[in-house]
Amino acid sequence: MANFSVTRPFRVAVVGSGPAGVYAADILTKSQEVTDGDVQLSIDLFESQPAPYGLIRYGVAPDHPRIKGIMNALHKVLDRGDIRFFGNVMYGRDLSLAELRSHYDAVIFATGATKDAMLDIPGVDFEGSYGGADFVSWYDGHPDVPREWPLNAKEIAVIGNGNVALDVARVLSKHADDMLVTEIPDNVYEGLKASPVTDVHIFGRRGPAQVKFTPLELRELSHSRDVDIVLYEEDFDFDTASDAAIKSNNQVKIMVNTLTNWLAEEHDETRVPASRRLHLHFLHTPVEILGAQGHVTGMRFERNELDGTGNVRGTGEFIDYPFQAVYRAVGYFGSELPEVDFDSRRGVIPNDGGRVLAADGSHVPGLYATGWIKRGPVGLIGSTKGDALETVGCLLEDRLNLPVVEHPGEEEIVKLLESRGVEYTTWEGWNKLDAHEKHLGESYTHPAGLEVSRERVKVVDREHMVNISKK
């Protein structure tokens, strides 16, 4: 039985500082048991990167209009001072499961899903075939990816009909100077500036009424300067299920209306053609990435038709397109964590309402999961909050029957990290790095002398981030 009482706080470790981890910590601090004084609480948040926020910092396109609001909300939670932040600490490398369990009454895994889901078709390993998540990490300045990206294709395919696919396509097609108002690092600007791209094609399996992105993300496509949106009449098919969705779901109605309006506008002969084009294709199933001498040369698709239920079936008609690069954006997938059971089919930690399960299906005392590593990479912020609420409820319900903690003192984990030379960063350190990045933006000078207002410039190098944080 747990050995916490009024003599010491209930100790919780949260692994991952993205929305899932921060929301779980925040919900814990605001729980009835804590606000009533029944439970004293001590929460430590561990993050493998020197900076907080997870996929909000390293998985959302920098020109996304909502990113600042989400980050501000997370900042307010961590800035209160009742949740300690330990950055640049990797679970499984710097801290083992046994060590976490010997220092905390409960551990919540909120590590999300950061790698690409598989697209199992021939040619996927050709040079010029890239994972969308890897590209996102590059343009978001993730410290663990290469600084350079091979942007040498004029014609590019993006496979997927979700928000990540739209982000990838928008960044690829957008002019680099128009990205300078964001926080993109200098190496990303230079790479995008040199890109010879003229045409980016987005492909989805189903019809316009079944797309997975949202109206906001769709409308963002039309905000890119000197980029024409191109659609195809043969892709605009609506079955009984499509009509029902349009009538009953306002979001679907807005997206279909937006797409059909864009299609109609293409016939406006008064428009001056743009130097770049972003093509939206529907009813295409990827069959094979074509190549020569190991390099991407194109892609083969089978045309689909709607079957009346909103799903599709192949028509037996195949079509080839010439491309020099293919970006696979068919979804994210969770990564296995050391010493924790993993469902390799779904990419999640097996759990029951957030309680981590062992291989035999039994609950592992004191271990919990929340966010995408709990439910898979689906849903938006609202789903993440609901996940956290359920997981925290289970944790609080279990709190009186958890194993005895060997080292419950708050400074014991600090001593352990320092004893093995872990260069961890803190919340105070993040504030220093945050101020430094904003200063880089304020003092930015465009290489061609253009006047550009930049709020911040993201620091990429891990060692540099740590050094700034520890000044």
Side-chain angles (χ1 to χ4, degrees), residues 15-215:
V15 181
S17 70
V22 175
Y23 290 148
D26 187 39
I27 289 170
L28 253 176
T29 64
K30 295 175 180 176
S31 65
Q32 195 71 44
E33 290 84 347
V34 173
T35 56
D36 285 350
D38 295 337
V39 176
Q40 287 182 294
L41 192 62
S42 173
I43 303 177
D44 289 342
L45 193 64
F46 293 96
E47 168 60 51
S48 61
Q49 304 306 324
Y53 308 141
L55 277 183
I56 296 301
R57 181 173 168 93
Y58 293 121
V60 179
D63 60 345
H64 196 295
R66 288 191 298 178
I67 183 173
K68 186 184 296 184
I70 299 171
M71 196 170 287
N72 286 343
L74 300 181
H75 180 95
K76 287 180 181 178
V77 173
L78 296 180
D79 203 44
R80 294 194 311 247
D82 55 352
I83 300 167
R84 286 198 304 185
F85 174 75
F86 290 88
N88 203 40
V89 179
M90 182 175 288
Y91 166 74
R93 181 194 66 189
D94 300 317
L95 289 173
S96 69
L97 180 60
E99 287 165 340
L100 284 176
R101 299 190 74 177
S102 71
H103 287 78
Y104 297 92
D105 297 291
V107 179
I108 302 175
F109 291 104
T111 51
T114 58
K115 66 180 183 180
D116 287 286
M118 288 290 294
L119 180 63
D120 189 15
I121 59 174
V124 74
D125 294 323
F126 284 148
E127 188 171 337
S129 170
Y130 308 110
D134 292 334
F135 181 60
V136 171
S137 293
W138 175 76
Y139 67 59
D140 272 335
H142 195 292
D144 297 335
V145 302
R147 301 291 181 267
E148 307 300 322
W149 191 273
L151 290 164
N152 47 27
K154 293 182 68 175
E155 300 160 304
I156 300 172
V158 178
I159 312 304
N161 250 181
N163 290 337
V164 174
L166 292 196
D167 281 352
V168 167
R170 191 178 65 256
V171 171
L172 284 167
S173 61
K174 205 166 186 175
H175 290 277
D177 281 335
D178 294 337
M179 294 291 286
L180 276 176
V181 295
T182 75
E183 60 182 23
I184 62 168
D186 290 340
N187 66 295
V188 175
Y189 168 72
E190 291 162 4
L192 293 173
K193 183 72 173 176
S195 171
V197 66
T198 59
D199 293 83
V200 178
H201 298 251
I202 305 174
F203 292 91
R205 289 180 57 253
R206 299 199 288 173
Q210 289 83 37
V211 294
K212 294 297 185 182
F213 39 76
T214 54

Side-chain angles (χ1 to χ4, degrees), residues 264-305:
E265 290 170 3
E266 283 189 49
H267 301 290
D268 182 0
E269 297 179 359
T270 65
R271 289 190 311 116
V272 177
S275 67
R276 295 180 176 181
R277 289 158 295 280
L278 201 162
H279 307 252
L280 294 175
H281 301 267
F282 306 104
L283 300 172
H284 282 66
T285 289
V287 174
E288 180 180 0
I289 299 176
L290 307 175
Q293 298 180 331
H295 292 260
V296 170
T297 60
M299 192 144 187
R300 177 167 297 155
F301 294 87
E302 182 178 10
R303 291 283 305 178
N304 296 327
E305 61 184 9

Side-chain angles (χ1 to χ4, degrees), residues 396-436:
L396 290 171
E397 186 179 311
D398 299 341
R399 72 185 188 279
L400 297 177
N401 298 300
L402 297 176
V404 172
V405 177
E406 187 178 353
H407 306 291
E410 289 187 342
E411 294 308 307
E412 294 300 313
I413 195 69
V414 175
K415 293 177 183 177
L416 177 62
L417 292 172
E418 291 180 347
S419 71
R420 56 186 51 166
V422 177
E423 290 260 52
Y424 67 87
T425 60
T426 63
W427 182 247
E428 293 75 15
W430 159 247
N431 284 327
K432 293 177 183 178
L433 178 59
D434 185 35
H436 178 79

Side-chain angles (χ1 to χ4, degrees), residues 269-428:
E269 297 179 359
T270 65
R271 289 190 311 116
V272 177
S275 67
R276 295 180 176 181
R277 289 158 295 280
L278 201 162
H279 307 252
L280 294 175
H281 301 267
F282 306 104
L283 300 172
H284 282 66
T285 289
V287 174
E288 180 180 0
I289 299 176
L290 307 175
Q293 298 180 331
H295 292 260
V296 170
T297 60
M299 192 144 187
R300 177 167 297 155
F301 294 87
E302 182 178 10
R303 291 283 305 178
N304 296 327
E305 61 184 9
L306 294 167
D307 65 2
T309 69
N311 292 311
V312 295
R313 56 184 169 235
T315 64
E317 175 190 353
F318 296 87
I319 183 168
D320 294 351
Y321 296 87
F323 298 116
Q324 298 83 51
V326 173
Y327 288 76
R328 311 178 306 274
V330 294
Y332 281 96
F333 200 78
S335 298
E336 188 170 357
L337 297 173
E339 303 179 83
V340 182
D341 277 286
F342 188 70
D343 183 338
S344 58
R345 182 181 62 84
R346 296 179 55 223
V348 300
I349 296 174
N351 68 92
D352 178 15
R355 293 182 174 100
V356 171
L357 301 178
D360 62 2
S362 62
H363 295 170
V364 181
L367 297 192
Y368 302 87
T370 190
W372 280 3
I373 200 64
K374 170 187 174 183
R375 72 176 189 275
V378 293
L380 301 175
I381 294 297
S383 302
T384 301
K385 288 182 177 178
D387 258 354
L389 193 62
E390 179 184 50
T391 296
V392 167
C394 291
L395 185 157
L396 290 171
E397 186 179 311
D398 299 341
R399 72 185 188 279
L400 297 177
N401 298 300
L402 297 176
V404 172
V405 177
E406 187 178 353
H407 306 291
E410 289 187 342
E411 294 308 307
E412 294 300 313
I413 195 69
V414 175
K415 293 177 183 177
L416 177 62
L417 292 172
E418 291 180 347
S419 71
R420 56 186 51 166
V422 177
E423 290 260 52
Y424 67 87
T425 60
T426 63
W427 182 247
E428 293 75 15

